[in-house]
Amino acid sequence: MRFILFFVLISSAAFSQRVITGKIIDKESSTPLSGVLIRDTKSENWAMSEKEGVFQIKIPYNENIELNFSLLGKMEATITLKNNENFITVFLEDNTLRLKEVVVTANKQRQYSELTLGKNAINNVQAFSLDDVLQQLPGQTTADFNLNEFKNIVFRNASSLNKGTKAFGTSFVMNDIPISNNENMQALNPNAPSLAGSDYGVPQKTFNNPDAGVDLREISTNNIEEIKVIQGIPSAKYGDLTSGLVLITTKVGNSPYRVSASLRDATSELNLTKGVKFNSNNAMNFGINYLDSNADPRDNLLDFQRVSGSLSWQVKNASSKIKNTVSTSFRSTLDNAKYDPDDITASVVKNQKKGFSISNNFMWKPDNLWVDGINLNSSFSYDKQFSRKEKWANSSATAASNSNEEGIHEAYILPSQYTSVSTVEGIPISTFISLETTKAITNKANWVHSFVFGLSGRTSSNKGEGRKSGVAGLINFFTLDTGGDTKLGYRDYDFNKAKTESQISAYLEDRIYKKFEDHQILNVDLGIRFDNQSGYVSLQPRINSSLSLNKTFRIRGGLGLSSKAPSLNQVYTGDRYIDRLIGDGIYTYPGVYQKAWIQTIIASGDNLNLKPSKSYKTEVGLDINLPFASINFTGYYNKLYDGFSGEQLPVYRVLPKPVVTVTGAEIPTYEINGTEKFYYMASSITNNATSEDTGIEAIINFEKIKALNLDLSMNASYVRSKDFSDVKQYIASTNLLSIERYGVFNPRPDINDNLTMSFNFNYHIPSVGLLIGLRSEHVLYRSSNYLTNNFPNGYLDNELVYHEIPKEDQTDLQKYGHLIQTSKESDYKMENMLHNFHLRVSKDFLNGFGVSLYATNFLNLKPYYYNDTNTKYLSETANLSFGARLNYEF
């Protein structure tokens, strides 16, 4: 009853509706355009142009109407209507370099701090993947070109130490469908955090990316029309994120065949796209992409390949009030580190992924319901992942066990030379569904309220065979060779033991618009989101606001909460097996026997108490609109808490004490002689990480210098990151006879600073379709301070009971010298500023051909530095690199 009464009150508050009609025409051919999407920028009401290019859209308010028109292959147009204007004619131009104005940089749209990259901005760099495009954003820098390791991104962050953890909280959404990496479990031993990142890859290059975000190499840009990046507070519509949001838009409609070929260093790419319009109500698009990238142009020992394709079919009804788009895509990627005949110790690694996705976007504008629109989105994604690592081992004899039971077991003796083989086979499956309704109303005081209410659900599962490595082929860091040697052992694990994790969400948002006198405009997006992430419930209020004081000044502000669920790889790690080689190790009598026993302890491994990580964000901003430039300042403070981190705690078990008996050439035996305490470190993943990022960004877009056909823009970013973990460090005493078994050391924060600036100069001659772009990057300041704590705050005795050490005694070498450490603090400050310059020359010909030439670091600036030991090393700026792209439309 209350629900009904609420909407009755809303309906009674509605003041009036204004109906806008019009016609949309192709500027080049003067023919009407059907299938154009028309959106009201304030209420998000929409319409589509019909067969003769005509359209009709209802607006829930009377004044200051602003409509956006978009169509595949055409430059978007945003038109503000006069108060007495109810019919308009709109001309859309082809989106080519012959446009009068071409925007090739990230620009601020709407009223908050989001950044938008259109098609020309995407092509401003030679983009082989989404990663190349996002490097243009404030605070990012162009990295050395390399497609032979996975790529992720995190915004507003100065620390590289926890980049993977933070990047896991960056969400990517394509056409309202989230791209998920929660199901990825391609790690050989997630219980050993120090090894997880190097499971499958080669030195300095990791192929697999569980728990580290979406691999941007997998996302081709050939059919992307727009990218919107929200580094601040996202709409309540979006969840399962803590670090940032990237919204990717593709379009369906009529378009010619577009063929392109790109070449850079040892990387080549081919693209083909085509849009077919069957009639005014049916259109289909398809595209295919192939990429091959070698790390070294002289050989193919390290290679990355990508094949992807997409097919989208869009249909609307005769009245253009129902639009449905079905999309399907397939993908195949392969990282391949091949056998090197010059280095027999090098790993041979294969990391492969094949899969498909199918999604549906349904939009309906009902006539006889109280809501303005109903949107229904759904998707299903299925992948098969296979990772294999083969490495030749040459060492003294080692022992290993594959027992899944506690106790003492006869060990398997590995030869001094053998080939270790490990594989992981995963089948990640994700589903998503959302239902959204919209309603816009205006009261008598001309306050516009656009209500959005939605429900969504998603699931994550992995049905692969899991981790497999026969004991005869164990990688050597899982084997034992010395008596008493203890390690976290390896065992096979079937991914079907991991449960299907689900998330259920609901959100409500009120987007408020009010225009006062003297050009004062208020925008407020007020929302609340409910999330149930695998049983953990949270309410997440979010608000974005802006107030235009006059035509020159506008202030902004926002704050919000969000959360990110742990991945399956973090929750379902499998039991932990601690293997201990008993006695004096491997007993050998040449020609007679080789004998060893391993004592195994099993500890519960799954991190079922792992909660979602959480993020609190706040930002303020000032926009200044001057006759010669628009200037945007944004200050922010972001805090990540309950973040995911590894933890190791000392524990002990009372175990049977084996004693080995050796008699000449007789095979050794053992017997139990009482019990003993066995100490070991129990590892787990916990919610103990905290991070704070504080910074300011500035973006300036100058008015075009028409006499020179020159566009100029710049951006600058400063950020300080403070990473902190509540995990205490436990270090064993060097004196085994002391009562202090482990020293306990409190963690200390890591602090990083980064100050960057970038300029864009674009010389554009529309009449000949020529664009010459120069982009400069400047790293003005960079520092890092990794603090250490060498003096214990306390200790654990032999019963692992904690005892605090008085502050005045913590540095006493006589009392606690066996606990005090000698680690050095890492304090780095960049010696000199880094500068880099990138060049682009693009030309569109009237016969359909287009060519672009790219040069990265074309001045070949590569300064040298000297570290603390006076060792000379190169800076981290991108290397000199040339590339070309050829396009043809027909």
Side-chain angles (χ1 to χ4, degrees), residues 679-694:
Y679 296 86
Y680 64 95
M681 303 298 289
S683 60
S684 62
I685 301 174
T686 62
N687 294 101
N688 283 317
T690 301
S691 177
E692 296 179 354
D693 301 304
T694 307

Side-chain angles (χ1 to χ4, degrees), residues 469-484:
S469 180
V471 67
L474 276 179
I475 300 174
N476 56 12
F477 54 66
F478 293 120
T479 61
L480 308 170
D481 57 7
T482 305

Side-chain angles (χ1 to χ4, degrees), residues 643-657:
F644 309 122
S645 64
E647 181 178 46
Q648 289 192 315
L649 293 174
V651 295
Y652 75 82
R653 296 272 294 272
V654 177
L655 300 177
K657 182 179 181 180

Side-chain angles (χ1 to χ4, degrees), residues 647-749:
E647 181 178 46
Q648 289 192 315
L649 293 174
V651 295
Y652 75 82
R653 296 272 294 272
V654 177
L655 300 177
K657 182 179 181 180
V659 176
V660 178
T661 302
V662 181
T663 305
E666 296 181 9
I667 296 177
T669 60
Y670 75 89
E671 60 182 14
I672 302 301
N673 184 12
T675 60
E676 63 179 340
K677 288 182 179 179
F678 172 60
Y679 296 86
Y680 64 95
M681 303 298 289
S683 60
S684 62
I685 301 174
T686 62
N687 294 101
N688 283 317
T690 301
S691 177
E692 296 179 354
D693 301 304
T694 307
I696 186 170
E697 294 173 346
I699 299 175
I700 303 177
N701 291 297
F702 294 93
E703 287 295 313
K704 184 174 183 177
I705 305 174
K706 295 183 179 180
L708 301 176
N709 287 323
L710 184 66
D711 285 298
L712 171 62
S713 65
M714 64 85 65
N715 66 70
S717 170
Y718 169 75
V719 57
R720 163 167 280 206
S721 296
K722 182 179 179 181
D723 297 313
F724 184 81
S725 174
D726 291 331
V727 176
K728 296 182 184 296
Q729 188 177 15
Y730 300 89
I731 300 178
S733 169
T734 57
N735 183 358
L736 299 180
L737 301 179
S738 70
I739 62 171
E740 299 88 10
R741 187 81 191 188
Y742 293 94
V744 181
F745 300 82
N746 285 340
R748 300 186 68 182

Side-chain angles (χ1 to χ4, degrees), residues 40 50 53 163 166 213 276 300 360 380 468 546 579 591 619 624 712 714 806:
D40 173 28
E50 299 178 18
K163 180 182 177 181
K166 291 184 177 180
V276 180
N300 64 347
N360 191 82
F380 174 82
K468 296 184 293 183
S546 70
D579 291 332
E619 67 177 23
I624 306 173
L712 171 62
M714 64 85 65

Side-chain angles (χ1 to χ4, degrees), residues 19 128-129 146 173 188 224 301 349 394 435 498 510 617 726 788 810 829:
V19 178
F128 290 96
S129 71
N146 170 30
V173 177
L188 185 62
I224 295 178
L301 294 179
V349 186
N394 181 18
L435 173 65
D510 182 10
K617 291 189 174 187
D726 291 331
T788 59
Q810 292 176 6
K829 288 185 180 180

Side-chain angles (χ1 to χ4, degrees), residues 84-132:
N84 60 352
E85 193 175 15
N86 292 321
F87 181 88
I88 57 173
T89 301
V90 180
F91 293 89
L92 295 184
E93 300 179 78
D94 289 341
N95 192 4
T96 69
L97 293 181
R98 296 182 182 273
L99 281 172
K100 187 176 181 180
E101 298 289 341
V102 174
V103 180
V104 297
T105 57
N107 64 91
K108 243 179 57 61
Q109 286 192 349
R110 289 197 63 187
Q111 60 272 21
Y112 308 128
S113 64
E114 64 267 31
L115 297 170
T116 301
L117 297 105
K119 192 67 177 178
N120 288 313
I122 294 171
N123 292 332
N124 192 42
V125 296
Q126 190 174 16
F128 290 96
S129 71
L130 185 59
D131 176 65
D132 298 314

Side-chain angles (χ1 to χ4, degrees), residues 75 112 143 153 197 342 351 499 525 546 618 654 775 883:
M75 187 65 183
Y112 308 128
I153 194 167
D342 297 324
N351 192 66
K499 297 180 180 179
D525 286 6
S546 70
T618 181
V654 177
R775 183 165 60 94

